[in-house]
């Protein structure tokens, strides 16, 4: 089972350098956390953009999160931020607790896809927007199992005759690398906002 997905922005090892600098009126220890927080928000915004469509093309199967048929935007909205400090070390995080956040990003160390297997007999793959918005179990008796000869089984809504879910034993999810793309796009702005903050603090010492 993949772990939740998060990215970190870390500023480590200031130690005695911060203490020495602050003796002369500098305030890096106060500037850096604020700038890392701003950088984290930049990355969060870029990840949400990519998870909502961004530069990623093609339909998504299952269609639950990235752009594509039945997409809900749930993945994009799941990315939140966190911040912590320990002594003179600072860390900002942006991440998602959703397991499929990492699945859609792709396997660590490369690879073009992740295979997800059913815990029981079938995975339920949403075929419509209505299906993407709620799991099959919540439909109760409104869905009926149908399997035509030589075809994969589906769950059809009785009232409309519309196939709401495709049933498969496993599915291969292509690596979208939306977080990797977001990090690449956001990095120049993130670097600038942190470096500019430190430069400003240094310049104030000389004023």
């Amino acid at each position: 089972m993949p772990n939740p997905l998060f990215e970190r922005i870390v500023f480590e090892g200031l130690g005695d350098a911060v203490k020495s600098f602050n003796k002369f009126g500098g305030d890096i220890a106060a500037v850096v956390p604020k700038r890392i927080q701003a950088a984290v928000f930049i990355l969060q915004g870029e990840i949400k953009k990519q998870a909502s469509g961004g530069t990623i093309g093609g339909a998504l199967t299952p269609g639950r999160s990235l752009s594509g048929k039945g997409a809900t935007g749930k993945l994009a909205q799941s990315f939140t931020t966190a911040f912590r400090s320990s002594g003179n070390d600072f860390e900002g995080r942006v991440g998602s607790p959703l397991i499929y956040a990492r699945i859609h990003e792709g396997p660590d160390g490369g690879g073009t896809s992740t295979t997800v297997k059913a815990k029981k007999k079938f995975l339920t793959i949403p075929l419509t927007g209505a299906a993407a918005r709620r799991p099959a179990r919540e439909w109760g008796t409104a869905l009926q199992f149908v399997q035509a000869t030589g075809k994969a089984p589906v769950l059809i809504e009785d009232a409309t005759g519309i196939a709401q879910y495709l049933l498969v034993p496993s599915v291969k999810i292509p690596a979208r690398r939306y977080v990797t793309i977001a990090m690449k796009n956001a990095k120049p702005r993130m670097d600038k906002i942190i470096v500019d903050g430190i430069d400003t603090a240094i310049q104030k010492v000389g004023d």
Side-chain angles (χ1 to χ4, degrees), residues 13-63:
L14 290 176
D16 292 337
V18 167
K19 296 178 183 178
S20 298
F21 185 81
N22 287 348
K23 287 180 181 179
F24 295 96
D27 201 13
I28 288 182
V31 168
V32 170
K34 294 178 181 178
R35 293 299 176 127
I36 286 183
Q37 186 178 41
V40 166
F41 290 147
I42 289 172
L43 179 57
Q44 180 192 32
E46 188 63 34
I47 290 175
K48 286 187 173 185
K49 174 184 174 182
Q50 295 299 326
S52 298
T55 59
I56 302 169
L60 176 69
T61 302

Side-chain angles (χ1 to χ4, degrees), residues 56-180:
I56 302 169
L60 176 69
T61 302
R64 290 179 60 86
S65 310
L66 301 179
S67 60
K69 187 175 182 179
T72 65
K74 184 177 179 181
L75 176 59
Q77 296 306 314
S78 74
F79 278 88
T80 58
T81 61
F83 177 80
R84 73 171 184 84
S85 62
S86 177
N88 290 311
D89 296 338
F90 311 99
E91 177 181 289
R93 289 190 179 193
V94 55
S96 169
L98 301 179
I99 295 301
Y100 61 82
R102 181 171 293 279
I103 291 173
H104 290 315
E105 171 67 8
D108 291 338
T112 59
S113 64
T114 300
T115 299
V116 180
K117 296 181 179 180
K119 290 181 179 179
K120 295 182 179 180
K121 191 172 183 180
F122 294 116
L123 295 169
T124 54
I125 309 301
L127 297 175
T128 68
R133 287 189 289 272
R134 58 175 174 161
R137 63 179 177 273
E138 292 185 3
W139 292 71
T141 58
L143 298 176
Q144 296 298 322
F145 179 94
V146 175
Q147 183 171 17
T149 303
K151 301 289 185 179
V154 294
L155 293 178
I156 290 179
E157 184 179 8
D158 268 347
T160 63
I162 295 174
Q164 296 289 352
Y165 298 92
L166 176 69
L167 303 180
V168 294
S170 66
V171 65
K172 185 175 288 188
I173 307 296
R176 300 289 171 166
R177 302 298 176 193
Y178 64 102
V179 173
T180 301

